[in-house]
Amino acid sequence: MRVNLEARAATGENRRAQTRAKLVDAAARVIADKGREATSIEDIVAEAGVARGTFYNYFPTVDELLDALNTRMAQAVDAAMAPIRAEITDPPSLLAATLHRFMVALTADPVGGWLALRMEGSVAPRQLIFERRFDALFQEGVRIGRFRQGNRDAARSLLFGAFRMAQRDVMLGQTSPDHVVELVALLLMAFGVTPEEARDISRKAAAEAEDQRHYHPVM
Amino acid sequence: MRVNLEARAATGENRRAQTRAKLVDAAARVIADKGREATSIEDIVAEAGVARGTFYNYFPTVDELLDALNTRMAQAVDAAMAPIRAEITDPPSLLAATLHRFMVALTADPVGGWLALRMEGSVAPRQLIFERRFDALFQEGVRIGRFRQGNRDAARSLLFGAFRMAQRDVMLGQTSPDHVVELVALLLMAFGVTPEEARDISRKAAAEAEDQRHYHPVM
Amino acid sequence: MRVNLEARAATGENRRAQTRAKLVDAAARVIADKGREATSIEDIVAEAGVARGTFYNYFPTVDELLDALNTRMAQAVDAAMAPIRAEITDPPSLLAATLHRFMVALTADPVGGWLALRMEGSVAPRQLIFERRFDALFQEGVRIGRFRQGNRDAARSLLFGAFRMAQRDVMLGQTSPDHVVELVALLLMAFGVTPEEARDISRKAAAEAEDQRHYHPVM
Amino acid sequence: MRVNLEARAATGENRRAQTRAKLVDAAARVIADKGREATSIEDIVAEAGVARGTFYNYFPTVDELLDALNTRMAQAVDAAMAPIRAEITDPPSLLAATLHRFMVALTADPVGGWLALRMEGSVAPRQLIFERRFDALFQEGVRIGRFRQGNRDAARSLLFGAFRMAQRDVMLGQTSPDHVVELVALLLMAFGVTPEEARDISRKAAAEAEDQRHYHPVM
DNA sequence: AATGAATGAGGCTTCATTCAT
DNA sequence: GATGAATGAAGCCTCATTCAT
């Protein structure tokens, strides 16, 4: 009897990928709910509906799984932003659009939003991919005179720190509706955009992001 | 025979306070070293040089101790800033002076600095006392026309988030010397100070804070 | 109120020693019964009647406990042999007496006997203290012409290996009554004692050891 | 179309035997390296280069495989000794030749040597086939007056115990070059051979065994 | 107050074994 | 026959907490 070894291997790989995804998804939900430190392997496998030992067939430790999760999130978010990167060429406008879209995505998807906050500390708080996008955008903005000349590292600290803190405030519900609009405007001002234009850009970007709220679950 | 009950009581209270302080100090050192989640009660009592059971005579849980620690740190820092609050009246200058002094204090005192970073997440990332100081300063700045009118909550997100991220970058040693100078200047610009003046104020405040480096251990 | 701190400390130490002994005794019984590799910490604490965590207050691993057990056994046995060392001066007779007494002790005390066999492999199969006793005895025997000149290391391999194998055979009940008598005689012959005298010495030592069977539980 | 069913069956049996041998060989290497208790089925199949499930197509448990391994080793060794059994008729000389050859084989083949030591305890320490060979040899030696009359079981304890202990000492490298020569001589003396002849026989047997070192991998 | 031995819940990890493909 | 994903029992270890002294 002849056996189709390739088909069998493909089936196996498929099943493997499915189980792996089940675990990563489950971990995202559990960690968003309880926080990294309160999450045990037991919690994750229970949520995933697999046996305890199965976990170790895929990840040696919870932190390995977290890395996978982190990478997956960052890539998903970055991919979701591809359309606006293609469409918007003005750096301040692209920055504002990205931040507002990101915030909408985080609040639209409670799991992803909480997850991002709760991973504070256990994983890199700034993803390399986002840093690179920002660096390019900032450099281009300076080059064409839309941003003031300045230390890029300090600008990064400002942007990523402020955004994270705002995310926290928004998710905890302690903010007024225009909190994010104002924050993004402040960032643009810090980078050299005039107050009036900064507020204008931020407001428009916020409105457009809201329109997209239900179209793009990113994580 | 007559016994001085008050004196005895005072002695007792004194000893009690001493043991309590021993525990809080020990916790600060251990957590700064290993991080909150890796710190056990055993570690703390060993560092404090008291018996395990003694811990429970003072704190029902580790988190109670953490609250005490957090409060103590915030008050110490706030008290250390009293001189400049009395001395500097210009809001942008006071803000710059406070931020630079704070950063110097954190980096000068490795225990306090790491502690602040490592408690990220386990305790409130923003102390009420600091928020109140900022609110008053911001309001005064707006009143006298030094800061641009704007949403105070957004300004708070910006300031506290950016400062925390900068602290992280500085303590991890991934920054150039003028990173903090630039960051503080960016904050002032976001609040409406002109670029030239913002850089000037930040640079001067940084220089003065450096002069004080060895005079004010704050925690 | 005055507290007798010394008395309290003494009580504590006492309790500690008791619990430690409970664990070592329990381990001896369990290992004699099931063998080292089949013995879990759970088994030991159950046999000792203490909680699982208590084990770790005394020993970091089962092997640490085994070392303690091993040392204790060797010292007990060596001490039990003190009288005959003081009494018998002729090296062949002392060797025969020691071996027969040892064998009687091992078979009289099933726990100790099985324990010695089952620890084969997990711990040093030859205790340093016994090696030293044998070296001294062998050297003295050679010096006074009772043993033939020869390589001491080879003599040691012969003696310890043969005795261990004999112990195994005896404990498994696969031997005739004079098995040990013959074996000890063979050892003496290997060392240069004439066949007639060797059998004579071994027989007498066996008889005397039997007389002591119920007087000296050694472990 | 005609199919050669016999050939196909033969091929099947052949393949089966090959996989089985792969497993047994792999187990030998792994156990020699890590010891029986530290060896998992996973280790064995990884070393053998087959899938985990394949193991169970051949052996219900690891111990079944160990039995196979043990038997194979004993038969290989016994077969390797066939030439000298045919050639040497004098019992003391045959005994000495066998022991020296065995020791050379064990030390020449690190896998087999360590394996034999590491299986100490997990399997029978004396193989029936070796016992029978010794019994016959001893009986014949007594019959023709080369060995002294004596208890055969005690002689067996002496021989097998001493040899195993010597093997351990040699493999651990704690011996002088003539350790085994002396030990074999002591055994012959214990059996009634005169000291001079015993040493002579052992020395010659050792020299001849050394000559064969590279010709006969026994396991 | 201070002590530290004892506790046991809770988490981690390994690994023999099953079974669908 | 061979495969390897899935399983879950069984062990290990840590550590917050209790409590008698």
Side-chain angles (χ1 to χ4, degrees):
Chain A
M1 192 189 124
R2 224 24 195 293
V3 177
N4 185 334
L5 287 175
E6 271 186 27
R8 179 192 289 172
T11 306
E13 295 228 341
N14 210 11
R15 195 155 53 121
R16 216 179 143 71
Q18 271 176 31
T19 303
R20 190 189 151 95
K22 263 200 268 182
L23 283 167
V24 177
D25 289 345
R29 288 192 297 275
V30 175
I31 292 173
D33 184 31
K34 314 175 63 168
R36 163 69 190 93
E37 296 298 339
T39 297
S40 68
I41 289 177
E42 171 64 26
D43 293 332
I44 295 172
V45 297
E47 175 77 23
V50 302
R52 188 193 309 274
T54 300
F55 183 92
Y56 294 95
N57 290 340
Y58 292 87
F59 303 100
T61 70
V62 175
D63 284 342
E64 304 286 315
L65 185 154
L66 272 188
D67 283 350
L69 187 51
N70 222 24
T71 302
R72 202 183 71 172
M73 278 174 56
Q75 285 174 345
V77 170
D78 191 62
M81 300 298 170
I84 58 173
R85 278 198 303 274
E87 194 183 311
I88 307 176
T89 53
D90 179 50
S93 301
L94 178 53
L95 180 58
T98 305
L99 295 178
H100 280 295
R101 292 247 180 159
F102 202 168
M103 190 66 81
V104 165
L106 290 168
T107 52
D109 170 7
V111 169
W114 280 113
L115 183 58
L117 272 188
R118 308 218 84 142
M119 299 220 293
E120 197 178 7
S122 9
V123 293
R126 304 191 314 213
Q127 288 290 319
L128 203 53
I129 189 166
F130 297 148
E131 297 204 358
R132 291 213 178 113
R133 297 277 184 213
F134 172 70
D135 287 355
L137 184 152
F138 187 71
Q139 190 170 358
E140 170 69 4
V142 171
R143 192 182 66 80
I144 66 175
R146 292 289 280 148
F147 290 149
R148 188 188 304 118
Q149 192 70 249
N151 180 312
R152 198 189 55 194
D153 289 347
R156 249 185 353 208
S157 289
L158 185 80
L159 178 76
F160 285 93
F163 187 79
R164 174 182 281 263
M165 186 63 81
Q167 182 198 347
R168 175 185 165 278
D169 292 340
V170 169
M171 306 241 13
L172 291 172
Q174 301 166 339
T175 53
S176 58
D178 69 338
H179 185 103
V180 185
V181 171
E182 274 287 321
L183 183 97
V184 170
L186 286 172
L187 286 167
L188 295 180
M189 294 177 208
F191 295 161
V193 179
T194 65
E196 294 70 33
E197 194 188 3
R199 285 207 176 98
D200 199 46
I201 289 175
S202 181
R203 229 180 327 253
K204 281 184 187 145
E208 276 165 25
E210 275 303 322
D211 285 350
Q212 303 292 321
R213 179 176 286 272
H214 304 295
Y215 299 135
H216 296 286
V218 291
M219 280 176 284
Chain B
M1 187 188 139
R2 222 26 197 290
V3 176
N4 185 335
L5 288 174
E6 267 184 31
R8 179 189 283 176
T11 305
E13 294 235 337
N14 209 12
R15 246 208 323 172
R16 209 175 149 72
Q18 271 175 29
T19 302
R20 191 188 149 93
K22 263 199 270 183
L23 283 166
V24 176
D25 289 344
R29 288 192 297 275
V30 175
I31 293 173
D33 185 33
K34 315 173 63 170
R36 163 69 189 93
E37 294 299 336
T39 296
S40 67
I41 289 181
E42 172 62 26
D43 293 331
I44 295 172
V45 297
E47 175 78 23
V50 303
R52 192 192 306 267
T54 302
F55 183 92
Y56 293 93
N57 291 335
Y58 292 88
F59 303 100
T61 73
V62 174
D63 283 343
E64 305 285 316
L65 185 152
L66 272 187
D67 283 350
L69 185 52
N70 223 25
T71 302
R72 203 185 69 173
M73 277 174 57
Q75 285 174 344
V77 170
D78 191 62
M81 300 299 170
I84 58 174
R85 277 198 305 274
E87 193 183 311
I88 306 176
T89 54
D90 178 51
S93 300
L94 178 54
L95 179 58
T98 305
L99 295 178
H100 279 294
R101 293 250 179 157
F102 201 171
M103 191 66 81
V104 166
L106 289 168
T107 52
D109 170 8
V111 170
W114 281 112
L115 184 58
L117 267 192
R118 307 217 89 140
M119 299 219 296
E120 195 177 10
S122 6
V123 293
R126 301 193 313 216
Q127 289 290 319
L128 201 53
I129 190 167
F130 296 148
E131 296 204 358
R132 291 213 176 113
R133 296 278 185 213
F134 172 71
D135 287 355
L137 185 151
F138 187 72
Q139 191 170 359
E140 170 69 3
V142 170
R143 194 182 64 79
I144 66 175
R146 293 287 282 149
F147 290 148
R148 187 187 307 117
Q149 191 68 251
N151 179 311
R152 200 189 54 196
D153 290 346
R156 242 175 11 199
S157 290
L158 186 79
L159 177 76
F160 285 92
F163 187 78
R164 173 183 282 261
M165 187 62 82
Q167 183 199 347
R168 175 185 165 280
D169 292 339
V170 170
M171 303 235 26
L172 293 174
Q174 301 165 340
T175 53
S176 58
D178 69 338
H179 186 102
V180 185
V181 171
E182 275 285 321
L183 182 96
V184 170
L186 285 173
L187 286 168
L188 296 180
M189 295 176 207
F191 294 161
V193 180
T194 64
E196 294 69 32
E197 192 186 5
R199 285 208 176 97
D200 198 47
I201 290 175
S202 181
R203 230 182 324 254
K204 280 183 187 146
E208 277 165 23
E210 274 304 322
D211 285 351
Q212 303 293 319
R213 181 178 283 272
H214 304 297
Y215 299 135
H216 297 287
V218 290
M219 278 175 285
Chain C
M1 192 188 124
R2 238 354 214 299
V3 177
N4 186 334
L5 288 174
E6 271 186 27
R8 179 191 289 174
T11 306
E13 295 229 343
N14 210 12
R15 195 154 53 119
R16 217 180 142 71
Q18 271 176 31
T19 303
R20 190 188 152 94
K22 263 199 268 182
L23 283 167
V24 177
D25 290 344
R29 289 192 297 275
V30 175
I31 292 172
D33 184 32
K34 314 174 63 167
R36 162 68 190 94
E37 295 299 339
T39 296
S40 67
I41 289 177
E42 171 64 26
D43 293 331
I44 295 173
V45 297
E47 175 78 22
V50 302
R52 186 194 311 276
T54 300
F55 183 92
Y56 295 96
N57 290 340
Y58 292 87
F59 303 100
T61 70
V62 175
D63 284 341
E64 303 286 315
L65 185 154
L66 272 188
D67 283 349
L69 186 51
N70 221 25
T71 302
R72 203 183 71 172
M73 278 175 55
Q75 286 174 344
V77 169
D78 191 63
M81 300 297 171
I84 58 174
R85 278 199 303 274
E87 194 183 311
I88 306 176
T89 54
D90 179 50
S93 301
L94 177 54
L95 180 58
T98 304
L99 295 177
H100 280 294
R101 292 249 180 158
F102 203 169
M103 190 66 82
V104 165
L106 290 168
T107 51
D109 171 6
V111 170
W114 280 112
L115 184 57
L117 270 189
R118 307 219 86 140
M119 299 220 293
E120 191 178 14
S122 10
V123 292
R126 304 190 313 213
Q127 288 290 318
L128 202 53
I129 190 167
F130 297 148
E131 296 204 359
R132 291 213 177 112
R133 297 277 184 215
F134 172 70
D135 286 355
L137 185 151
F138 186 72
Q139 190 171 359
E140 170 69 5
V142 170
R143 193 184 64 81
I144 66 176
R146 292 288 279 149
F147 290 147
R148 186 187 307 118
Q149 193 69 248
N151 179 311
R152 198 190 54 193
D153 289 346
R156 246 182 359 204
S157 290
L158 185 80
L159 177 76
F160 285 93
F163 187 78
R164 174 182 281 264
M165 187 63 82
Q167 182 199 347
R168 174 185 164 280
D169 292 339
V170 169
M171 304 237 20
L172 291 172
Q174 300 166 340
T175 54
S176 57
D178 70 339
H179 186 102
V180 185
V181 171
E182 274 286 320
L183 182 98
V184 170
L186 284 172
L187 286 167
L188 295 181
M189 294 176 208
F191 295 161
V193 180
T194 65
E196 294 70 31
E197 193 186 5
R199 286 208 174 95
D200 198 46
I201 289 175
S202 181
R203 230 181 326 256
K204 279 182 186 147
E208 276 165 24
E210 274 302 321
D211 286 350
Q212 302 292 321
R213 179 177 285 271
H214 304 296
Y215 299 135
H216 296 287
V218 290
M219 281 177 283
Chain D
M1 186 184 141
R2 224 24 199 291
V3 177
N4 186 335
L5 288 174
E6 267 185 31
R8 179 189 284 175
T11 305
E13 295 235 335
N14 210 12
R15 248 213 316 178
R16 207 175 151 74
Q18 270 176 28
T19 304
R20 190 188 152 93
K22 263 200 269 183
L23 283 167
V24 177
D25 289 344
R29 288 191 297 274
V30 175
I31 293 174
D33 184 32
K34 315 174 63 169
R36 163 69 189 93
E37 295 299 336
T39 297
S40 66
I41 289 180
E42 171 63 26
D43 294 330
I44 295 172
V45 296
E47 175 78 23
V50 302
R52 192 192 306 269
T54 301
F55 183 92
Y56 293 93
N57 291 334
Y58 292 88
F59 303 99
T61 73
V62 175
D63 284 342
E64 305 286 317
L65 184 152
L66 273 187
D67 283 350
L69 186 51
N70 223 26
T71 302
R72 203 185 70 172
M73 279 174 56
Q75 286 174 344
V77 171
D78 192 62
M81 301 298 171
I84 57 173
R85 279 199 302 275
E87 193 183 311
I88 306 175
T89 53
D90 179 50
S93 301
L94 178 53
L95 180 57
T98 305
L99 295 178
H100 280 294
R101 293 249 179 157
F102 202 170
M103 190 67 80
V104 165
L106 290 168
T107 52
D109 170 8
V111 170
W114 281 112
L115 183 60
L117 267 192
R118 307 217 87 140
M119 300 221 294
E120 196 178 9
S122 9
V123 293
R126 302 192 315 217
Q127 289 291 318
L128 202 53
I129 191 167
F130 296 149
E131 296 204 359
R132 292 215 175 111
R133 296 279 184 213
F134 172 70
D135 287 356
L137 185 152
F138 186 72
Q139 191 169 359
E140 170 68 4
V142 171
R143 194 184 62 80
I144 66 175
R146 291 288 280 148
F147 291 148
R148 189 187 304 118
Q149 191 68 250
N151 179 313
R152 198 189 54 196
D153 290 345
R156 248 186 351 210
S157 290
L158 186 80
L159 178 76
F160 285 93
F163 187 79
R164 172 183 283 261
M165 186 65 80
Q167 182 198 347
R168 174 186 165 280
D169 292 339
V170 169
M171 304 241 16
L172 292 174
Q174 301 165 340
T175 53
S176 58
D178 70 337
H179 186 102
V180 185
V181 171
E182 275 286 320
L183 183 98
V184 170
L186 285 172
L187 285 168
L188 296 180
M189 295 176 206
F191 295 161
V193 179
T194 64
E196 293 68 31
E197 193 187 4
R199 285 206 176 97
D200 199 47
I201 289 174
S202 180
R203 229 179 327 253
K204 280 183 186 146
E208 277 165 22
E210 274 303 323
D211 285 350
Q212 303 294 319
R213 180 177 284 273
H214 304 295
Y215 299 135
H216 295 290
V218 291
M219 278 175 286

Coordinates of all heavy atoms in Angstrom, one line a residue, chain C residues 88-92 94 133-147 152:
Chain C
I88 N 40.8 -7.7 69.6 CA 41.5 -8.7 68.8 C 42.7 -8.0 68.1 O 42.6 -6.9 67.5 CB 40.6 -9.2 67.7 CG1 39.3 -9.8 68.3 CG2 41.3 -10.2 66.8 CD1 38.3 -10.2 67.3
T89 N 43.9 -8.6 68.3 CA 45.1 -8.0 67.7 C 45.6 -8.7 66.4 O 46.2 -8.1 65.6 CB 46.2 -7.9 68.7 OG1 46.4 -9.3 69.2 CG2 45.9 -7.0 69.9
D90 N 45.2 -10.0 66.3 CA 45.7 -10.7 65.1 C 44.9 -10.2 63.9 O 43.7 -10.4 63.8 CB 45.4 -12.2 65.4 CG 45.9 -13.0 64.2 OD1 47.0 -12.8 63.7 OD2 45.1 -13.8 63.7
P91 N 45.6 -9.7 62.9 CA 44.9 -9.1 61.7 C 44.0 -10.0 61.0 O 42.8 -9.7 60.8 CB 46.0 -8.6 60.8 CG 47.2 -8.3 61.7 CD 47.1 -9.3 62.8
P92 N 44.3 -11.2 60.7 CA 43.3 -12.1 60.0 C 42.1 -12.3 60.9 O 41.0 -12.3 60.4 CB 44.1 -13.4 59.8 CG 45.5 -13.1 59.9 CD 45.7 -11.9 60.8
L94 N 40.9 -10.4 63.2 CA 40.2 -9.1 63.3 C 39.4 -8.9 62.0 O 38.2 -8.5 62.0 CB 41.1 -7.9 63.5 CG 40.4 -6.6 63.6 CD1 39.2 -6.5 64.6 CD2 41.4 -5.5 63.9
R133 N 40.2 1.6 57.6 CA 40.4 0.5 58.6 C 41.1 -0.6 57.9 O 42.0 -1.3 58.4 CB 39.0 0.1 59.1 CG 38.3 1.2 59.9 CD 38.7 1.2 61.3 NE 37.9 2.2 62.1 CZ 38.4 2.9 63.0 NH1 39.7 2.9 63.4 NH2 37.6 3.8 63.7
F134 N 40.6 -1.0 56.7 CA 41.2 -2.1 56.0 C 42.7 -1.9 55.7 O 43.5 -2.8 55.9 CB 40.4 -2.4 54.7 CG 41.1 -3.5 53.9 CD1 41.1 -4.8 54.3 CD2 41.8 -3.2 52.7 CE1 41.8 -5.8 53.6 CE2 42.4 -4.1 52.0 CZ 42.4 -5.4 52.4
D135 N 43.0 -0.7 55.2 CA 44.4 -0.4 54.8 C 45.3 -0.6 56.0 O 46.3 -1.2 55.9 CB 44.5 1.0 54.3 CG 43.9 1.2 52.9 OD1 43.5 0.2 52.4 OD2 43.9 2.3 52.4
A136 N 44.9 -0.1 57.2 CA 45.7 -0.2 58.4 C 45.9 -1.7 58.8 O 47.0 -2.1 59.1 CB 45.1 0.6 59.5
L137 N 44.7 -2.4 58.7 CA 44.8 -3.8 59.1 C 45.6 -4.6 58.1 O 46.5 -5.4 58.6 CB 43.3 -4.3 59.1 CG 43.1 -5.7 59.5 CD1 41.6 -5.8 60.1 CD2 43.2 -6.8 58.4
F138 N 45.5 -4.3 56.9 CA 46.3 -5.1 55.9 C 47.8 -4.8 56.0 O 48.6 -5.7 56.0 CB 45.8 -4.7 54.5 CG 46.4 -5.5 53.4 CD1 46.1 -6.8 53.1 CD2 47.4 -4.9 52.5 CE1 46.6 -7.5 52.1 CE2 48.0 -5.7 51.5 CZ 47.6 -7.0 51.3
Q139 N 48.1 -3.5 56.2 CA 49.5 -3.1 56.4 C 50.1 -3.8 57.6 O 51.2 -4.4 57.5 CB 49.5 -1.6 56.5 CG 50.9 -1.0 56.5 CD 50.9 0.5 56.4 OE1 49.8 1.1 56.4 NE2 52.0 1.1 56.4
E140 N 49.4 -3.8 58.7 CA 49.9 -4.4 59.9 C 50.0 -5.9 59.7 O 51.0 -6.5 60.1 CB 48.9 -4.1 61.0 CG 49.1 -4.9 62.3 CD 50.4 -4.5 63.0 OE1 51.0 -3.5 62.6 OE2 50.7 -5.1 64.1
G141 N 49.1 -6.5 59.0 CA 49.2 -8.0 58.7 C 50.4 -8.3 57.9 O 51.1 -9.3 58.2
V142 N 50.7 -7.5 56.9 CA 51.9 -7.7 56.1 C 53.1 -7.5 57.0 O 54.1 -8.3 56.9 CB 51.9 -6.7 54.9 CG1 53.3 -6.8 54.2 CG2 50.8 -7.1 53.9
R143 N 53.1 -6.5 57.8 CA 54.3 -6.1 58.6 C 54.7 -7.3 59.5 O 55.9 -7.6 59.6 CB 54.0 -4.9 59.4 CG 55.2 -4.2 60.1 CD 54.9 -3.1 61.0 NE 54.1 -3.5 62.1 CZ 54.6 -4.0 63.2 NH1 55.9 -4.2 63.4 NH2 53.8 -4.3 64.2
I144 N 53.7 -7.9 60.1 CA 54.1 -8.9 61.1 C 54.0 -10.3 60.4 O 54.1 -11.3 61.1 CB 53.1 -8.9 62.3 CG1 51.7 -9.3 61.9 CG2 53.2 -7.6 63.0 CD1 50.7 -9.4 63.1
G145 N 53.9 -10.3 59.1 CA 54.1 -11.6 58.4 C 52.9 -12.5 58.4 O 52.9 -13.7 58.0
R146 N 51.7 -11.9 58.8 CA 50.5 -12.7 58.7 C 49.9 -12.7 57.3 O 49.1 -13.6 57.0 CB 49.5 -12.2 59.8 CG 49.9 -12.4 61.2 CD 49.8 -13.9 61.6 NE 48.5 -14.3 61.9 CZ 48.0 -15.5 61.7 NH1 48.7 -16.5 61.1 NH2 46.7 -15.8 62.0
F147 N 50.1 -11.6 56.6 CA 49.6 -11.6 55.2 C 50.8 -11.5 54.3 O 51.8 -11.0 54.6 CB 48.7 -10.3 55.0 CG 47.4 -10.3 55.7 CD1 46.9 -9.1 56.1 CD2 46.7 -11.5 55.9 CE1 45.6 -9.1 56.8 CE2 45.5 -11.4 56.5 CZ 44.9 -10.2 57.0
R152 N 48.1 -3.4 47.6 CA 47.0 -3.1 48.5 C 45.7 -2.7 47.8 O 44.6 -3.1 48.2 CB 47.4 -2.0 49.4 CG 46.6 -1.9 50.7 CD 46.9 -0.6 51.4 NE 46.7 0.5 50.5 CZ 47.2 1.7 50.8 NH1 47.9 1.9 51.8 NH2 47.0 2.7 49.9

